[in-house]
Amino acid sequence: MTGRHGLAALLAASLLAASFLAGPSARGQAPAPDTPPAQLDPRNDPRAESWPKVKCDRWRSAYEQALARFGSKGIGAEFTARHDAFLASGCQAPPDVCPRSAEELNLANVMVIAGMNAGMASTFMPFACRK
């Protein structure tokens, strides 16, 4: 991403990702004993929901927020279908969402930043272009 639009997208991605990191464990505080499992840090609290499910929920939410923020203009049917299949698999399908248009690439970049800021490893991302 380059230029004003790319910088705006990167800033928006950082703000979007920050919304995932809010919470007691993100501030170094211990969660209350009655904290719902979805609000516990799944990386180090056995009472938490499974980390793969939490990651997928965070990814789905970030994707919805990114589409609401940037719109779907320029996002092709193949990109959408492959991404929807990734979500439907519980975010377990091998990466095969290939961004081809400038808008798809911008969305993918925003999502990678949001994912990394939300604690997901680069191997989680669904983006890959095989051909």
Side-chain angles (χ1 to χ4, degrees):
M1 288 189 287
T2 59
R4 281 183 25 197
H5 297 295
L7 179 58
L10 287 173
L11 290 173
S14 294
L15 292 173
L16 184 68
S19 70
F20 296 120
L21 300 177
S25 61
R27 293 186 297 271
Q29 301 169 352
D34 60 344
T35 301
Q39 295 178 5
L40 297 171
D41 185 345
R43 291 166 287 191
N44 62 15
D45 194 320
R47 299 171 297 158
E49 291 183 36
S50 76
W51 181 227
K53 180 185 182 318
V54 170
K55 288 190 296 186
C56 194
D57 290 346
R58 289 179 181 181
W59 184 267
R60 182 184 317 275
S61 178
Y63 185 71
E64 291 167 358
Q65 290 179 37
L67 286 178
R69 167 77 171 91
F70 300 109
S72 59
K73 179 182 178 195
I75 308 299
E78 182 177 358
F79 181 95
T80 300
R82 289 180 184 267
H83 191 271
D84 288 349
F86 174 72
L87 292 174
S89 76
C91 303
Q92 299 295 310
D96 73 344
V97 181
C98 182
R100 298 188 189 280
S101 69
E103 294 86 358
E104 290 173 354
L105 184 57
N106 283 338
L107 178 59
N109 286 336
V110 164
M111 291 303 301
V112 167
I113 292 168
M116 297 299 280
N117 285 343
M120 298 169 209
S122 60
T123 56
F124 176 87
M125 309 302 160
F127 306 112
C129 297
R130 306 277 184 225
K131 296 179 184 177

